[in-house]
Amino acid sequence: MEKLSELYRGKAKTVYSTENPDLLILEFRNDTSALDGQRIEQLERKGLVNNKFNYFIMNKLHEAGIPTQVEALLSDTAILVKKLDMIPVECVIRNRAAGSLVRRLGVEEGFIFNQPTFELFLKNDELHDPMVNDSLCYAFNWATEAQLSQMKTLSFKINTILSDLFDKAGLILVDFKLEFGLFKGEITLGDEFSPDNCRLWEKETLKKMDKDRFRQNLGGVIEAYEEVAKRIGVTL
Ligand code: TMP
């Protein structure tokens, strides 16, 4: 399948049309952004690592019965995906306190919740992805009650599958962000799952192995991504 024309250039991926109107090509670039795109740097190999990482995770989720948009690995940095009508809210699951939740609620980083949390954020860089809720989703027609309920159920199921996968690799899945869309009316997991949009800590040392290394200028960003990939069995 060949790229036809560029449809959209996001912060880390470019989306291309193909000759099949139901299929798109996602190209993972080396661009790494923080502060809602105000800081962008090129990290060598990131496109390759995230593409292969995402393909591996999406396959695991597919095998566990989660509908995903992924169709095929096309190259080191590209995959073929179903074209989704994206729902403009991001679903965030947390198992421990970190990031914006620590700033918002003043709890200590690493605090372990009684049960995983589910939050919704509007996809809007200019507004810095404000937190929203189910009632706003219905009022603005971002998602119906049935769609949101399914997104929530799938998000918790994905948390169970991936927390177990990372646990077996000596890692804690602290939190992550998912995006869903509709394919022929069915809620389907889109976007990507990589160390760019989750937090992973080493179980023994609590060392950060995700994009927080970039956000917090800790260094060794791609080295950490590659280490996680190696531990869970991704072939790079
Ligand atoms: P937060 O602590 O900044 O709210 O982020 C929670 C998790 O979701 C973290 O793993 C990063 C991820 N995330 C994104 O990848 N993109 C986003 O736009 C947001 C809001 C969160």
Side-chain angles (χ1 to χ4, degrees):
M1 192 70 70
E2 300 290 317
K3 292 176 198 162
L4 225 54
S5 57
E6 184 177 315
L7 293 181
Y8 173 76
R9 190 178 164 88
K11 285 178 294 221
K13 297 188 291 301
T14 309
V15 183
Y16 297 90
S17 62
T18 68
E19 66 212 21
N20 183 334
D22 282 340
L23 298 176
L24 300 172
I25 291 176
L26 295 189
E27 175 97 46
F28 287 70
R29 307 193 313 272
N30 288 340
D31 294 336
T32 313
S33 68
L35 305 168
D36 299 314
Q38 289 172 52
R39 175 181 162 217
I40 299 175
E41 282 173 35
Q42 293 278 311
L43 294 181
E44 213 177 316
R45 280 177 65 77
K46 194 182 77 114
L48 177 150
V49 174
N50 278 4
N51 182 41
K52 301 241 171 125
F53 197 108
N54 176 58
Y55 183 71
F56 178 92
I57 294 285
M58 290 289 175
N59 265 328
K60 290 278 176 210
L61 295 176
H62 172 77
E63 283 165 14
I66 306 285
T68 85
Q69 71 171 159
V70 173
E71 288 282 302
L73 187 69
L74 293 180
S75 71
D76 279 353
T77 55
I79 48 165
L80 186 68
V81 298
K82 294 187 186 87
K83 181 178 182 171
L84 308 184
D85 283 330
M86 293 306 290
I87 290 170
V89 290
E90 304 182 332
C91 300
V92 170
I93 292 270
R94 300 178 198 269
N95 296 303
R96 294 196 185 207
S100 73
L101 185 128
V102 165
R103 294 192 292 274
R104 197 163 8 107
L105 300 182
V107 286
E108 202 176 325
E109 184 180 71
F111 177 81
I112 305 172
F113 304 125
N114 285 338
Q115 56 182 57
T117 65
F118 177 81
E119 293 162 27
L120 294 165
F121 295 88
L122 180 65
K123 258 184 90 71
N124 187 320
D125 275 345
E126 277 168 34
L127 297 177
H128 310 292
D129 293 345
M131 193 178 194
V132 293
N133 63 20
D134 47 359
S135 142
L136 286 165
C137 287
Y138 314 144
F140 283 99
N141 229 356
W142 295 325
T144 66
E145 214 168 325
Q147 289 165 349
L148 204 52
S149 157
Q150 216 185 333
M151 287 156 66
K152 192 171 177 178
T153 303
L154 287 172
S155 297
F156 281 124
K157 192 169 168 195
I158 291 167
N159 187 40
T160 305
I161 299 163
L162 297 185
S163 290
D164 181 58
L165 183 144
F166 287 114
D167 180 70
K168 288 186 172 119
L171 298 158
I172 301 165
L173 180 58
V174 173
D175 58 29
F176 57 94
K177 182 263 296 181
L178 301 172
E179 294 183 30
F180 294 92
L182 292 169
F183 184 73
K184 300 189 193 292
E186 190 193 6
I187 287 287
T188 304
L189 179 61
D191 194 50
E192 70 177 273
F193 191 103
S194 74
D196 266 7
N197 43 47
C198 70
R199 288 193 172 93
L200 291 163
W201 295 350
E202 213 169 42
K203 239 196 288 189
E204 301 289 314
T205 62
L206 299 185
K207 181 182 171 190
K208 294 177 173 153
M209 306 293 283
D210 53 67
K211 197 175 173 185
D212 271 350
R213 300 202 70 79
F214 178 75
R215 296 187 190 99
Q216 299 171 8
N217 293 307
L218 299 174
V221 182
I222 293 308
E223 290 79 357
Y225 286 27
E226 289 190 303
E227 169 67 20
V228 174
K230 190 176 91 183
R231 285 204 204 174
I232 62 172
V234 182
T235 314
L236 294 177

